[in-house]
Amino acid sequence: MHFTKNNLKIVFTALFLVINVFGQESQKIFSVAQYKSDKQCAISFTFDDGLEEHYTLVFPKLEELGFKATFWVNGNTINEGESGRMKEKPRTTWNQLKKMAQKGHEISNHGWTHKQLTRCTPEEMRYEIEYNDSVIEAKIGIKPITFCYPNNSKNSKVIEAASKNRVGTRIEQFQRGGKSTPEILNAKIDTILKNYQWYATMIHGISYGYDAFKGVSILWNHLDQVKALEDEIWVGTFRDISAYTKEQQSIQLKLKQQGEKWIIVPNLPLDKKLFNVPLTMIVNKEILSNCSVKQQGKKIKTSNLPDKILFDFDPYGGEIIVKGK
Ligand SMILES: [Zn+2]
């Protein structure tokens, strides 16, 4: 390459941009955490097919730990208990699912009849997805805004149809059940901690039935282990973590400084009806060691930790005023 005047100009411009970007990074006073409460990684425990054991065994255990999970159901098999045609693998009832939803668990769509969507006509596919949505909404009172593909079978057309008006669909899953050993489960925790990842499980049978665990204690011990790491792992519904991560990737912050006061104007160009999970702001303590926060005149709770200050804010709630020292 010949160093012509023009070439040099390009090199210097590039150099200036690189310095500028790094400069901004190191001095960034506010940033939105990758996960809620700036945890290092996330897990959505998700259970497939609405099996009765998800209510009788899993639900009480989750409540004891304070974890919220996601349950994917096929509307046409719910209420098929001991006497029903699903005798071999009885399902939950709508009342049981409603109780779980009232405690904050997510009851969501797994297709009306568990039909493989890649084999459906566009009309059949629409029915499988939309009819199940409407029945779940009528029975539970909350319309699903996520989706789980029956048999994990999908292609671009199926994904497009199932993603309409939703915060996310389960594209990848970590299967847990008959083949799960404590070693495999622990290794997965190590991986997500190391790589700042989020994953969703696929769990069917608990003590019996399809892909059940070798012993229920394998699952319980694993949940206890995750609980012990709660400061690092965000355990949340598929709905909440899907929404949070998309919001985090899309949020724009406008920043103004007036003496000891900072004004942050958040702008989230997403559908407010779907994406409305509060986001966590990280305040760089090297710049601001202490602060008080208000959004639209209302005081916001802050957590002042040794290395950072955190607060949750409404991404549509308008101006945030941070007064600091
Ligand atoms: Zn299924």
Side-chain angles (χ1 to χ4, degrees):
M1 182 171 133
H2 297 286
F3 280 93
T4 61
K5 209 173 161 190
N6 253 351
N7 273 341
L8 274 178
K9 205 172 152 193
I10 291 167
V11 169
F12 279 118
T13 310
L15 208 60
F16 173 76
L17 282 175
V18 167
I19 290 166
N20 209 20
V21 165
F22 278 104
Q24 277 176 2
E25 270 313 309
S26 62
Q27 286 170 21
K28 213 179 226 178
I29 176 164
F30 302 109
S31 54
V32 179
Q34 188 182 355
Y35 298 114
K36 191 176 169 5
S37 307
D38 197 28
K39 296 200 182 181
Q40 204 166 318
C41 58
I43 301 177
S44 294
F45 288 107
T46 88
F47 299 83
D48 295 35
D49 299 353
L51 301 174
E52 191 180 44
E53 283 192 316
H54 298 169
Y55 175 78
T56 54
L57 295 180
V58 175
F59 174 47
K61 178 70 184 175
L62 293 172
E63 282 299 299
E64 182 196 312
L65 296 172
F67 286 167
K68 301 302 167 194
T70 298
F71 299 87
W72 309 109
V73 303
N74 315 106
N76 89 321
T77 59
I78 301 304
N79 278 343
E80 298 280 357
E82 288 296 320
S83 56
R85 68 201 152 98
M86 292 281 174
K87 206 172 169 184
E88 300 305 310
K89 35 183 180 178
R91 308 296 159 131
T92 51
T93 66
W94 287 115
N95 271 341
Q96 290 170 340
L97 291 171
K98 195 172 181 179
K99 266 190 216 163
M100 292 156 88
Q102 283 166 344
K103 290 282 185 186
H105 298 277
E106 179 186 14
I107 309 301
S108 195
N109 195 338
H110 193 33
W112 174 244
T113 64
H114 209 279
K115 213 180 256 176
Q116 222 165 294
L117 298 185
T118 45
R119 293 183 184 163
C120 287
T121 64
E123 291 72 34
E124 282 171 336
M125 180 155 70
R126 207 171 312 125
Y127 183 76
E128 282 293 314
I129 298 171
E130 290 175 12
Y131 187 61
N132 205 32
D133 268 348
S134 66
V135 174
I136 293 171
E137 188 180 10
K139 299 285 189 184
I140 307 292
I142 301 169
K143 191 177 178 183
I145 53 168
T146 58
F147 188 82
C148 177
Y149 304 94
N151 294 92
N152 299 323
S153 142
K154 52 197 169 291
N155 56 32
S156 57
K157 276 197 182 126
V158 168
I159 293 173
E160 198 192 326
S163 301
K164 224 173 87 193
N165 294 321
R166 283 169 220 274
V167 294
T169 66
R170 197 179 72 184
I171 301 283
E172 272 182 81
Q173 58 285 319
F174 178 48
Q175 186 166 356
R176 284 174 176 189
K179 289 190 186 122
S180 294
T181 61
E183 293 73 31
I184 292 174
L185 298 175
N186 286 342
K188 188 72 180 175
I189 296 181
D190 290 344
T191 306
I192 61 163
L193 279 167
K194 208 171 99 193
N195 300 318
Y196 306 93
Q197 287 167 325
W198 163 46
Y199 77 82
T201 65
M202 173 173 80
I203 301 174
H204 290 86
I206 307 299
S207 74
Y208 72 98
Y210 176 67
D211 200 26
F213 290 84
K214 288 272 175 339
V216 179
S217 63
I218 294 178
L219 177 59
W220 290 175
N221 289 342
H222 176 63
L223 290 171
D224 290 339
Q225 203 133 14
V226 172
K227 180 72 186 175
L229 290 165
E230 208 175 12
D231 286 347
E232 283 87 41
I233 306 174
W234 175 21
V235 176
T237 59
F238 192 81
R239 174 185 60 203
D240 282 359
I241 303 184
S242 289
Y244 186 101
T245 49
K246 291 215 176 107
E247 290 173 33
Q248 195 268 348
Q249 287 155 13
S250 315
I251 188 98
Q252 299 150 0
L253 304 176
K254 253 197 219 154
L255 201 60
K256 262 188 289 176
Q257 189 185 9
Q258 293 175 351
E260 288 196 338
K261 191 167 98 177
W262 294 85
I263 302 165
I264 310 165
V265 184
N267 175 39
L268 186 56
L270 291 175
D271 184 348
K272 193 178 168 178
K273 278 192 244 103
L274 294 173
F275 296 90
N276 47 34
V277 175
L279 292 169
T280 301
M281 189 81 80
I282 309 170
V283 183
N284 183 344
K285 268 190 107 167
E286 281 174 27
I287 302 174
L288 221 54
S289 61
N290 205 348
C291 66
S292 68
V293 184
K294 275 184 178 178
Q295 187 171 30
Q296 295 283 40
K298 252 179 83 185
K299 202 170 162 25
I300 286 182
K301 211 182 114 225
T302 57
S303 328
N304 201 331
L305 303 168
D307 57 333
K308 64 199 168 190
I309 301 170
L310 302 178
F311 65 85
D312 285 351
F313 67 97
D314 174 356
Y316 307 100
E319 240 177 47
I320 302 165
I321 311 272
V322 181
K323 282 187 191 162
K325 283 169 215 147

Coordinates of all heavy atoms in Angstrom, one line a residue, residues 146-183:
T146 N -45.5 -16.5 24.3 CA -44.4 -17.3 23.9 C -44.9 -18.5 23.2 O -46.1 -18.7 23.2 CB -43.5 -17.7 25.1 OG1 -44.3 -18.4 26.0 CG2 -42.9 -16.5 25.8
F147 N -44.0 -19.3 22.6 CA -44.5 -20.6 22.0 C -43.4 -21.6 22.1 O -42.2 -21.3 22.0 CB -44.8 -20.3 20.5 CG -45.5 -21.5 19.8 CD1 -46.9 -21.7 20.0 CD2 -44.8 -22.4 19.1 CE1 -47.5 -22.8 19.4 CE2 -45.4 -23.5 18.5 CZ -46.7 -23.7 18.6
C148 N -43.8 -22.9 22.2 CA -42.9 -24.0 22.1 C -43.3 -25.0 21.1 O -44.5 -25.5 21.1 CB -42.9 -24.7 23.5 SG -41.8 -26.1 23.6
Y149 N -42.4 -25.3 20.1 CA -42.7 -26.1 19.0 C -42.9 -27.6 19.4 O -42.0 -28.2 20.0 CB -41.6 -26.0 17.9 CG -41.4 -24.6 17.5 CD1 -40.4 -23.9 18.2 CD2 -42.1 -24.0 16.6 CE1 -40.1 -22.5 17.8 CE2 -41.9 -22.7 16.2 CZ -40.9 -21.9 16.8 OH -40.7 -20.6 16.5
P150 N -44.1 -28.2 19.0 CA -44.3 -29.6 19.3 C -43.2 -30.4 18.6 O -42.9 -30.2 17.4 CB -45.7 -29.9 18.7 CG -46.4 -28.6 18.7 CD -45.3 -27.6 18.5
N151 N -42.6 -31.4 19.3 CA -41.5 -32.2 18.8 C -40.3 -31.4 18.4 O -39.4 -31.8 17.7 CB -41.9 -33.1 17.6 CG -42.9 -34.1 18.0 OD1 -44.1 -33.9 17.9 ND2 -42.5 -35.2 18.5
N152 N -40.2 -30.1 18.9 CA -39.2 -29.2 18.5 C -39.0 -29.1 17.0 O -38.0 -28.7 16.5 CB -37.8 -29.6 19.1 CG -37.8 -29.6 20.6 OD1 -38.5 -28.8 21.2 ND2 -37.2 -30.6 21.2
S153 N -40.1 -29.4 16.3 CA -40.0 -29.4 14.8 C -40.4 -28.1 14.2 O -41.4 -27.5 14.5 CB -40.9 -30.6 14.3 OG -41.6 -30.2 13.2
K154 N -39.4 -27.5 13.5 CA -39.7 -26.1 13.0 C -38.9 -25.9 11.7 O -37.9 -26.6 11.4 CB -39.2 -25.1 14.0 CG -37.8 -25.3 14.6 CD -37.7 -24.5 15.9 CE -36.4 -24.9 16.6 NZ -36.4 -26.3 17.2
N155 N -39.3 -24.9 10.9 CA -38.6 -24.4 9.8 C -38.9 -22.9 9.7 O -39.6 -22.4 10.6 CB -39.0 -25.1 8.5 CG -40.5 -25.0 8.2 OD1 -41.1 -24.0 8.6 ND2 -41.0 -26.0 7.6
S156 N -38.4 -22.2 8.7 CA -38.5 -20.7 8.8 C -40.0 -20.3 8.7 O -40.3 -19.3 9.4 CB -37.7 -20.1 7.6 OG -38.1 -20.6 6.4
K157 N -40.8 -21.0 8.0 CA -42.2 -20.6 7.9 C -42.9 -20.8 9.2 O -43.7 -20.0 9.6 CB -42.9 -21.5 6.8 CG -42.7 -20.9 5.4 CD -43.7 -21.5 4.5 CE -43.4 -20.9 3.1 NZ -43.2 -21.9 2.1
V158 N -42.6 -22.0 9.9 CA -43.3 -22.3 11.2 C -42.8 -21.2 12.2 O -43.6 -20.7 13.0 CB -42.9 -23.7 11.6 CG1 -43.2 -23.9 13.1 CG2 -43.5 -24.7 10.8
I159 N -41.5 -20.9 12.2 CA -41.0 -19.9 13.2 C -41.6 -18.6 12.9 O -42.0 -17.9 13.9 CB -39.4 -19.8 13.1 CG1 -38.8 -21.2 13.5 CG2 -38.9 -18.7 13.9 CD1 -37.3 -21.3 13.4
E160 N -41.8 -18.2 11.7 CA -42.4 -16.9 11.4 C -43.8 -16.8 11.9 O -44.2 -15.9 12.5 CB -42.4 -16.7 9.8 CG -42.6 -15.2 9.5 CD -42.9 -15.0 8.0 OE1 -42.3 -15.8 7.2 OE2 -43.7 -14.1 7.6
A161 N -44.6 -17.9 11.6 CA -46.0 -17.9 12.1 C -46.1 -17.9 13.6 O -46.9 -17.2 14.2 CB -46.7 -19.1 11.5
A162 N -45.2 -18.7 14.3 CA -45.3 -18.8 15.7 C -44.8 -17.6 16.5 O -45.0 -17.4 17.7 CB -44.6 -20.1 16.2
S163 N -44.0 -16.8 15.8 CA -43.3 -15.7 16.5 C -44.2 -14.4 16.4 O -43.9 -13.4 17.1 CB -42.0 -15.4 15.8 OG -41.2 -16.5 15.9
K164 N -45.3 -14.4 15.6 CA -46.1 -13.3 15.5 C -46.7 -12.9 16.9 O -47.3 -13.7 17.5 CB -47.2 -13.6 14.5 CG -47.5 -12.4 13.5 CD -48.4 -12.9 12.4 CE -49.9 -12.6 12.8 NZ -50.9 -13.3 12.0
N165 N -46.6 -11.6 17.2 CA -47.2 -11.1 18.5 C -46.7 -11.8 19.7 O -47.4 -12.1 20.7 CB -48.7 -11.2 18.5 CG -49.3 -10.3 17.5 OD1 -48.9 -9.2 17.3 ND2 -50.3 -10.8 16.8
R166 N -45.4 -12.2 19.7 CA -44.8 -12.9 20.9 C -43.4 -12.3 21.2 O -42.8 -11.8 20.3 CB -44.6 -14.4 20.6 CG -46.0 -15.1 20.7 CD -45.9 -16.5 20.2 NE -47.1 -16.8 19.5 CZ -48.2 -17.3 20.0 NH1 -48.2 -17.5 21.3 NH2 -49.3 -17.5 19.3
V167 N -43.0 -12.5 22.5 CA -41.7 -12.0 22.9 C -40.6 -13.1 22.5 O -39.4 -12.7 22.4 CB -41.6 -11.7 24.4 CG1 -42.5 -10.5 24.7 CG2 -42.0 -12.9 25.2
G168 N -41.0 -14.3 22.3 CA -40.0 -15.3 21.9 C -40.6 -16.7 21.7 O -41.8 -16.9 22.2
T169 N -39.9 -17.6 21.1 CA -40.3 -19.0 21.0 C -39.1 -19.8 21.3 O -38.0 -19.4 21.2 CB -40.8 -19.3 19.5 OG1 -39.6 -19.2 18.6 CG2 -41.9 -18.4 19.0
R170 N -39.4 -21.1 21.8 CA -38.3 -21.9 22.2 C -37.6 -22.5 21.0 O -38.1 -23.5 20.5 CB -38.7 -23.0 23.2 CG -37.5 -23.6 24.0 CD -38.0 -24.6 25.0 NE -38.3 -25.8 24.4 CZ -38.8 -26.9 25.0 NH1 -39.0 -26.9 26.3 NH2 -39.2 -28.0 24.3
I171 N -36.5 -21.9 20.6 CA -35.7 -22.4 19.5 C -34.7 -23.5 19.9 O -34.5 -24.4 19.1 CB -35.0 -21.2 18.8 CG1 -36.0 -20.1 18.4 CG2 -34.1 -21.6 17.7 CD1 -36.8 -20.3 17.1
E172 N -34.1 -23.3 21.0 CA -33.1 -24.2 21.5 C -33.5 -24.7 22.9 O -34.1 -23.9 23.7 CB -31.8 -23.5 21.7 CG -30.9 -23.6 20.4 CD -29.6 -22.9 20.7 OE1 -28.7 -23.6 21.2 OE2 -29.5 -21.7 20.4
Q173 N -33.2 -25.9 23.3 CA -33.5 -26.4 24.6 C -32.5 -27.4 25.1 O -31.9 -28.1 24.3 CB -34.9 -27.0 24.6 CG -35.2 -28.2 23.7 CD -35.3 -27.7 22.3 OE1 -35.9 -26.7 22.0 NE2 -34.7 -28.5 21.3
F174 N -32.4 -27.4 26.4 CA -31.4 -28.4 27.0 C -32.3 -29.5 27.6 O -33.1 -29.2 28.6 CB -30.6 -27.6 28.1 CG -29.7 -28.5 28.9 CD1 -28.8 -29.4 28.2 CD2 -29.6 -28.4 30.3 CE1 -27.9 -30.2 29.0 CE2 -28.8 -29.2 31.0 CZ -27.9 -30.1 30.3
Q175 N -32.2 -30.7 27.1 CA -33.1 -31.8 27.5 C -32.6 -32.3 28.9 O -31.4 -32.6 29.1 CB -33.0 -32.9 26.5 CG -34.0 -34.0 26.8 CD -34.2 -34.9 25.6 OE1 -33.7 -34.7 24.6 NE2 -35.0 -36.0 25.8
R176 N -33.6 -32.4 29.8 CA -33.3 -33.0 31.1 C -34.3 -34.1 31.4 O -35.5 -33.9 31.2 CB -33.4 -31.9 32.1 CG -32.2 -31.0 32.1 CD -32.5 -29.9 33.1 NE -31.3 -29.1 33.1 CZ -31.2 -28.1 34.0 NH1 -32.1 -27.9 34.9 NH2 -30.1 -27.4 34.0
G177 N -33.8 -35.2 31.9 CA -34.7 -36.3 32.2 C -33.8 -37.6 32.4 O -32.8 -37.5 33.2
G178 N -34.2 -38.6 31.8 CA -33.6 -40.0 32.0 C -32.1 -40.0 31.9 O -31.5 -40.8 32.6
K179 N -31.5 -39.2 31.0 CA -30.1 -39.2 30.8 C -29.3 -38.2 31.7 O -28.1 -38.2 31.7 CB -29.7 -38.9 29.4 CG -30.1 -40.0 28.4 CD -29.6 -39.8 27.0 CE -30.1 -40.9 26.1 NZ -30.8 -40.3 24.9
S180 N -30.1 -37.5 32.5 CA -29.4 -36.4 33.3 C -28.8 -37.0 34.6 O -29.4 -37.8 35.3 CB -30.5 -35.4 33.8 OG -31.0 -34.7 32.7
T181 N -27.5 -36.7 34.7 CA -26.8 -37.1 35.9 C -26.4 -35.8 36.6 O -26.3 -34.7 36.0 CB -25.5 -37.9 35.6 OG1 -24.6 -37.0 34.8 CG2 -25.7 -39.1 34.8
P182 N -26.0 -35.9 37.9 CA -25.6 -34.6 38.6 C -24.4 -34.0 37.9 O -24.3 -32.8 37.8 CB -25.2 -35.1 40.0 CG -26.0 -36.4 40.2 CD -26.2 -37.0 38.8
E183 N -23.5 -34.8 37.3 CA -22.3 -34.3 36.6 C -22.7 -33.4 35.4 O -22.2 -32.3 35.2 CB -21.4 -35.4 36.2 CG -20.7 -36.2 37.3 CD -21.6 -37.1 38.1 OE1 -22.6 -37.6 37.5 OE2 -21.4 -37.3 39.3

